[in-house]
Amino acid sequence: MRHTGAVAAGIVGGMLLLSGCGAVDLPLAGVRAGADGAPYAVLRPCDGDAYRGPYLEGRARGAGDGPVTTGWDSRKKGLHGDAGFPLFAPPEDWKARHRGAQRLLPRHRYVLGFGHYVTGDSYNARVEFTAEQIARLGPGRVWADGRAMSLAEFERLAADSC
């Protein structure tokens, strides 16, 4: 019995050690509803950190890791500072590659994110959402961390996460 407990403790300890080596997911990305009801991306990297690879991926619900059917991605590195833009129109200098319809589609699950990768201080910013969740947002509201909130609440959440 002791041997089994020691083996289990070793496995759990090893998993904890290994899990500390990867990038952590932080709520530094959100989607807000504009005054016109259109969705806007809101990206908040920590303290002026450089980030790279911003993306928006949309997949049909139930498709698991199936193909991305809508969205865009950029291989741009060395981006700095907060960003906000229409969800399907990232800044031109990001040279984004667009895929599929450039609008929120029903019955799709979306992920918006970017990465900050530095040895020992890496993180991914990401938000998951559906078109239906964004359609229910009122003007000025933000979807982040699995829930709707005010822009001020999102700014506090992002700052506290860093």
Side-chain angles (χ1 to χ4, degrees):
M1 193 65 136
R2 279 188 181 150
H3 178 63
T4 304
V7 170
I11 291 171
V12 170
M15 287 177 12
L16 289 173
L17 181 63
L18 289 175
S19 68
C21 296
V24 63
D25 288 342
L26 298 177
L28 304 174
V31 179
R32 74 172 178 83
D36 59 357
Y40 285 79
V42 184
L43 307 180
R44 297 292 185 262
C46 292
D47 303 323
D49 284 346
Y51 60 97
R52 66 179 179 183
Y55 65 93
L56 173 67
E57 295 178 344
R59 290 180 169 87
R61 273 190 236 153
D65 287 334
V68 173
T69 57
T70 178
W72 51 266
D73 67 87
S74 171
R75 295 177 191 245
K76 186 85 170 172
K77 296 179 182 178
L79 297 169
H80 289 275
D82 297 347
F85 50 87
L87 188 59
F88 288 94
E92 237 177 83
D93 66 329
W94 289 8
K95 296 182 177 29
R97 179 179 61 146
H98 295 269
R99 284 185 234 122
Q102 295 299 291
R103 66 184 189 290
L104 290 175
L105 299 174
R107 297 178 304 282
H108 275 66
R109 177 153 300 284
Y110 290 86
V111 178
L112 170 68
F114 64 87
H116 168 75
Y117 306 111
V118 188
T119 303
D121 188 27
S122 297
Y123 60 83
N124 296 308
R126 55 184 280 129
V127 59
E128 295 183 30
F129 60 94
T130 65
E132 294 80 8
Q133 289 165 328
I134 302 308
R136 289 191 297 265
L137 289 176
R141 302 288 288 171
V142 177
W143 183 269
D145 200 30
R147 58 194 164 98
M149 62 189 72
S150 71
L151 182 56
E153 288 172 303
F154 172 70
E155 298 292 353
R156 277 192 303 277
L157 175 66
D160 291 346
S161 297
C162 294

